[in-house]
């Protein structure tokens, strides 16, 4: 009996149909988003086979008890800075994750926040092949927009135990994914759940898959994807309206409790056990009918 977790569908229609046919024999199909489930059903898979379970997080590991100032001291970051951060790999499957839009959005932010710094933590920063030197293109955009280069800090992937400190150290955490099929339908970002444990306010893109977890003005601030001005506006709200920021960050922390990895695994296991029980009952019934005949 096989449980299959689907992270995306092939681009070609014939391959989608072939995948759907092969999945019909699975005991359980786990879809990361409701949108993925809808796509699978459009290709003939029975709804009863599919369990929607977003990604998750190890809350014990990420829910550090330090304050923002304490986290900054651990990381040797000046405590008086206004910090907005993007934490995670800069690309996924060679897809941009919104860093150019973050850079563009900062142009008006620097006018208002004199001690603002943007941290991009997760790399890669140093690459041998210039074709994949994305940081070089980011720095080129910074120069083109005549922004202060020293305010943009790009860091390689950090030790796992330090990632929660980077999340905690930020005044605002950013996840402005672009509007693509991949991010709109299939993605359930690990980054999002890790962000939610930090009790720092999140500014993310208003995309269908993201909105299955994040709700504007409730547990995050959502901006139209690709809209640098709106991203900047949401960042300003997060920085200026302290009580609102605290409220949505606390709501995100409460919401993320249900996405702990062990709870997720148990839900999948229980769903699959019920499917197994149903299949065994059906098989016994078929044998009984055959025997009578």
């Amino acid at each position: 009996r096989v449980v299959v977790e689907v992270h995306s569908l092939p681009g070609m229609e014939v391959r989608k149909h072939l995948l759907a046919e092969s999945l019909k024999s699975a005991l359980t199909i786990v879809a990361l988003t409701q949108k993925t489930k809808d796509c699978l059903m459009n290709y003939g898979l029975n709804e009863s086979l599919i369990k929607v379970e977003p990604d998750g997080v190890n809350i014990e590991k990420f829910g550090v008890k330090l304050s923002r100032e304490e986290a900054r001291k651990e990381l040797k970051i000046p405590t008086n800075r206004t910090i907005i951060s993007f934490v995670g790999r800069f690309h996924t499957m060679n897809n941009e994750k919104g860093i150019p839009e973050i850079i563009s959005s900062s142009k008006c932010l620097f006018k208002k926040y004199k001690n603002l710094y943007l941290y991009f933590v997760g790399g890669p920063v140093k690459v041998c092949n210039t074709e994949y030197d994305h940081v070089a293109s980011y720095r080129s955009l910074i120069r083109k927009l005549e922004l202060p280069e020293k305010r943009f800090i790009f860091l390689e992937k950090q030790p796992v135990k330090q990632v929660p400190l980077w999340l905690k150290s930020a005044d605002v955490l950013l996840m402005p994914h672009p509007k693509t099929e991949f991010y709109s339908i299939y993605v359930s970002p690990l980054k999002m759940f890790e962000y939610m444990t930090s009790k720092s306010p999140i500014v993310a893109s208003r995309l269908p898959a993201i909105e299955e977890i994040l709700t504007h003005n409730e547990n995050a601030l959502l901006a139209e994807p690709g809209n640098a001005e709106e991203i900047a506006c949401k960042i300003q709200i997060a920085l200026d309206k302290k009580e609102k920021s605290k409220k949505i960050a606390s709501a995100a922390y409460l919401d993320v409790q249900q996405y702990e990895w062990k709870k997720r695994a148990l839900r999948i296991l229980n769903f699959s056990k019920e499917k197994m029980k149903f299949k065994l009952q059906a098989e016994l019934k078929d044998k009984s009918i055959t025997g009578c005949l």
Side-chain angles (χ1 to χ4, degrees), residues 2-3 34 60 78 119 170 178 190 206 239 260 263 265 268:
V2 178
V3 176
Q34 180 63 44
E60 184 179 355
Y119 282 75
L190 292 172
R206 192 190 299 274
L239 291 174
E260 206 278 332
K263 292 180 181 178
I268 295 170

Side-chain angles (χ1 to χ4, degrees), residues 242-256:
K242 301 295 185 183
E243 286 303 313
K244 180 171 185 171
S245 291
K246 185 177 179 180
K247 183 179 177 181
I248 64 173
S250 296
Y253 182 76
L254 289 176
D255 290 341
V256 82

Side-chain angles (χ1 to χ4, degrees), residues 5-244:
E5 184 167 295
V6 177
H7 287 220
S8 64
L9 298 183
M12 295 174 63
E13 286 296 309
V14 65
R15 291 185 176 179
K16 287 177 180 174
H17 285 287
L18 287 171
L19 176 62
E21 283 300 311
S22 68
L23 290 174
K24 286 179 180 178
S25 61
L27 176 66
T28 300
I29 303 163
V30 179
L32 296 183
T33 67
Q34 180 63 44
K35 291 293 181 183
T36 303
K37 178 179 178 177
D38 294 342
C39 289
L40 291 170
M41 290 169 59
N42 287 339
Y43 286 94
L45 287 165
N46 193 307
E47 182 177 9
S48 65
L49 282 174
I50 308 169
K51 171 71 170 161
V52 177
E53 277 296 338
D55 271 326
V57 64
N58 184 329
I59 294 172
E60 184 179 355
K61 181 185 291 184
F62 279 86
V64 295
K65 304 301 181 183
L66 298 179
S67 67
R68 184 171 294 148
E69 289 71 24
E70 289 169 334
R72 290 185 183 186
K73 286 177 181 177
E74 287 277 334
L75 296 169
K76 296 180 173 56
I77 299 173
T79 57
N80 64 337
R81 288 181 176 177
T82 299
I83 295 175
I84 56 178
S85 298
F86 174 100
V87 182
R89 288 188 64 84
F90 300 162
H91 274 66
T92 293
M93 297 169 62
N94 209 34
N95 290 308
E96 279 285 0
K97 297 171 80 172
I99 291 178
E101 287 75 19
I102 294 172
I103 293 169
S104 297
S105 74
S106 69
K107 191 171 181 67
C108 64
L109 295 174
F110 283 121
K111 296 176 183 177
K112 183 173 183 180
Y113 306 101
K114 302 305 180 184
N115 204 26
L116 176 68
Y117 284 77
L118 290 86
Y119 282 75
F120 301 90
V121 184
V125 175
K126 297 178 182 178
V127 293
C128 297
N129 190 335
T130 55
E131 182 182 350
Y132 299 104
D133 191 356
H134 303 297
V135 173
S137 68
Y138 301 150
R139 294 192 189 282
S140 176
L141 177 60
I142 291 166
R143 289 191 292 271
K144 181 180 177 181
L145 295 174
E146 298 181 340
L147 299 171
E149 289 189 60
K150 67 177 183 179
R151 301 283 192 89
F152 296 85
I153 298 170
F154 296 92
L155 299 174
E156 292 284 3
K157 182 178 179 180
Q158 301 296 296
V160 174
K161 65 180 181 180
Q162 286 194 355
V163 174
L165 298 177
W166 285 106
L167 300 179
K168 197 74 174 181
S169 69
D171 291 291
V172 184
L173 290 167
L174 304 179
M175 197 179 74
H177 288 148
K179 188 176 183 178
T180 65
E181 181 184 63
F182 180 67
Y183 289 121
S184 298
I185 296 175
Y186 303 119
V187 168
S188 180
L190 292 172
K191 175 205 305 294
M192 175 168 61
F193 300 99
E194 292 168 0
Y195 277 14
M196 292 170 76
T197 67
S198 69
K199 296 185 180 178
S200 296
I202 301 167
V203 172
S205 289
R206 192 190 299 274
L207 293 169
I210 300 301
E211 288 186 285
E212 291 181 23
I213 307 298
L214 299 180
T215 303
H216 181 55
N217 280 336
E218 291 187 16
N219 59 6
L221 294 168
L222 302 183
E224 286 303 312
N227 189 328
E229 289 184 6
E230 191 168 342
I231 292 168
C233 178
K234 297 301 185 290
I235 292 170
Q236 287 185 62
I237 292 171
L239 291 174
D240 294 346
K241 299 187 178 181
K242 301 295 185 183
E243 286 303 313
K244 180 171 185 171

